[in-house]
Amino acid sequence: MKDYDILMVGVGGQGTVLSSDIVCEVALAGGSDVKKSEIHGMAQRGGSVVSHVRIGKRVSSPVLPLKGADIILSFEDMEFLRYPEYVNDETVLILNRYKIYPPSVASGDENYPESQVADLKDRFSTVFEMDAMEMAQKIGNPKVAGMVLLGKLASLLHYEQEVWKEVVSKKVPPKTVELNLKAFDAGFGS
């Protein structure tokens, strides 16, 4: 059984918490032990959200060790910049190129940190970049961008795709199941 330490970071409303819940349920269904912790203090107001997900045969702590991330999934282009202490030489980055401008950037007081994003990306062993928002819009609704990203994450883990789909179908509102599964498939196949 493969162990995974996954850091999922985003902005409130992007589906970071729902996605991490789905990862945990899939891992449990696959017979793994799972621990999760999250911080989302101001998330409903567009603040930062971070979920630590640890999967293994037996997991004792819900918090990733420093330099311990196998995968960082960034739901927004610069959110991963907040957590460089979890990156090691083997860490994989799944990066949504969609940008959400914080108030200081939107007001013109500061610039979006394009150069820092480029610099930190170089520290990852592998980077999967995608515009999940654009992919979700093509599917029919930008609200499923998080599910596109979850599909990409699922393609890197060893759990069966059908188990992912069963859990997604249980966790999203019934009237959105078909749309969310299309988004998941789009990310999985990207």
Side-chain angles (χ1 to χ4, degrees):
M1 179 182 301
K2 171 84 174 94
D3 294 351
Y4 301 105
D5 283 332
I6 305 166
L7 194 68
M8 303 172 76
V9 300
V11 175
Q14 288 193 288
T16 307
V17 173
L18 172 63
S19 295
S20 63
D21 288 346
I22 291 170
V23 171
C24 292
E25 287 202 24
V26 168
L28 287 169
S32 299
D33 188 19
V34 182
K35 297 282 188 294
K36 173 186 163 189
S37 68
E38 57 194 38
I39 299 170
H40 47 92
M42 297 295 286
Q44 291 182 337
R45 297 183 181 173
S48 184
V49 178
V50 59
S51 292
H52 293 235
V53 178
R54 304 194 71 201
I55 300 169
K57 186 174 181 180
R58 185 170 187 279
V59 179
S60 56
S61 169
V63 179
L64 273 66
L66 298 180
K67 297 187 181 289
D70 296 308
I71 302 170
I72 295 180
L73 170 53
S74 186
F75 286 73
E76 195 274 342
D77 194 45
M78 72 170 192
E79 280 301 310
F80 75 103
L81 293 177
R82 300 178 192 275
Y83 307 97
E85 66 273 22
Y86 293 100
V87 179
N88 62 54
D89 293 341
E90 303 295 321
T91 304
V92 172
L93 174 65
I94 301 172
L95 179 62
N96 184 12
R97 295 309 319 247
Y98 182 71
K99 295 176 177 66
I100 297 174
Y101 296 101
S104 61
V105 173
S107 67
D109 292 338
E110 296 181 28
N111 295 319
Y112 196 87
E114 301 281 356
S115 63
Q116 290 100 328
V117 170
D119 290 346
L120 188 57
K121 279 192 321 188
D122 289 342
R123 291 183 48 197
F124 289 84
S125 68
T126 305
V127 178
F128 297 100
E129 293 185 57
M130 55 199 317
D131 189 335
M133 181 64 80
E134 182 180 306
M135 293 172 72
Q137 287 172 334
K138 287 180 181 174
I139 291 166
N141 191 327
K143 291 182 178 179
V144 294
M147 199 56 66
V148 172
L149 294 164
L150 181 65
K152 183 60 190 175
L153 174 64
S155 75
L156 303 179
L157 306 182
H158 72 272
Y159 301 103
E160 296 291 326
Q161 192 173 0
E162 289 309 312
V163 175
W164 285 97
K165 290 182 173 185
E166 287 173 23
V167 174
V168 167
S169 297
K170 287 191 305 187
K171 297 294 284 185
V172 300
K175 66 181 181 183
T176 69
V177 168
E178 183 178 344
L179 186 64
N180 275 286
L181 291 177
K182 283 182 182 177
F184 179 87
D185 285 342
F188 196 92
S190 65

